[in-house]
Structure formats: C-alpha cells, structure tokens
Amino acid sequence: MNSTLTAALKEAYAVAPTNLRVFETLEIRHDSIEDPIYIVQDFKPLIATLETAEEVTFLPVWFNFNLPTASESGRQDLSLTIDNVDRAISDFISLAKDYATPVQIIYRPYLSNDLTQPQLDPPLSLILQDVQITMLQVSGRATFADVINKKWPTEYYTRARFPSLGN
C-alpha cells in the first residue's frame, strides 16, 4: 500500500465509515502567476490547511481524475477533467501558456474530521500536459517528470567550466 498516505486515510478507504468523508482537492499553480487556484470536489467551499500551515479556501468545482499507476516506462499519468463553467480554469491555463514553464497540479486529500493537514505526505505534485479546452471543460494529462528517460548526468563537465579537469 502507498506509504505516503496517512494511517487515518488508509483506514477511511478500507472501512468507509459513514461519518467520515474524504475531500479530494487540487491546487492549480504556475510559477509566473501569483494566485493559484484551489478547488475541491464538492458542492460547497472547503477551508483547510496546507502542509505549509497556510489556511486556504478550496472552491467547489466538479472534476474527475484517475490517480497514476506505476508503469515500466517511467511515466505515470493522471487523466484529469475539470468543469469550466465559470472559465476561471481555462483563463488560468491560457495565461500560463505564454510562459515556458508548465502548469503544476497538486493533489491533496483531506478527511472531514481533520482539515488541519492533507492526508498525503508529501502531496502529489504533477505537471499538466496535453491540455484541451472546451466551453464546458478543461481536460488534460498530468504526469510526474520522466526521470527514467532523463539524461544523466544532467550537468556537463567541461574544461571551460571546470579547469581542474586538466588539459
């Protein structure tokens, strides 16, 4: 089982008590845009505390996702569909396209009896790719960095940068 899940969340998934609810949340952020978007898969806003001890309000927006599964290719994708009724998500994505860095998606589950911290440590952080925007929804694929196919070492050691390498 996933070791990043808290014991309380593992129990909630296993037992499914009627008095306890799991709130699925997403943070949509970009380094060049000041205010990230916080959404919760619910019908009303959710005030919860991030792992940084910052309290934020997650806005109620319908979204659907499938958590990534491990694969031999090194890629782990999360398929994501977010409601685009008020166009806030599509406007954010459109604005972020003007920059070279990707949009980041951060997944945090919360338990209804403990909104003081996410129940996933660390939260799942993914990069949004292959985005498609329509009038009704924003859909895409969020993925981890493909570390298996990344060149290594990532830094080239040249004589110009490191004169002590010799002649």
Side-chain angles (χ1 to χ4, degrees), residues 20-25 40 42 44-51 53-58 108-119:
L20 193 60
R21 184 149 175 238
V22 177
F23 290 107
E24 312 282 355
T25 69
V40 60
D42 198 19
K44 59 184 180 179
L46 174 74
I47 298 171
T49 306
L50 303 178
E51 64 281 357
E54 177 187 1
E55 189 175 87
V56 299
T57 301
F58 291 88
R108 296 178 184 94
Y110 288 89
L111 290 175
S112 57
N113 66 347
D114 183 8
L115 299 175
T116 63
Q117 65 183 356
Q119 299 297 310

Side-chain angles (χ1 to χ4, degrees), residues 15-53:
V15 178
T18 57
N19 64 338
L20 193 60
R21 184 149 175 238
V22 177
F23 290 107
E24 312 282 355
T25 69
L26 294 178
E27 175 183 353
I28 304 167
R29 75 167 27 259
H30 191 274
D31 294 339
S32 301
I33 301 174
E34 187 175 333
D35 296 323
I37 296 176
Y38 298 97
I39 60 176
V40 60
Q41 195 176 42
D42 198 19
F43 298 105
K44 59 184 180 179
L46 174 74
I47 298 171
T49 306
L50 303 178
E51 64 281 357
T52 60

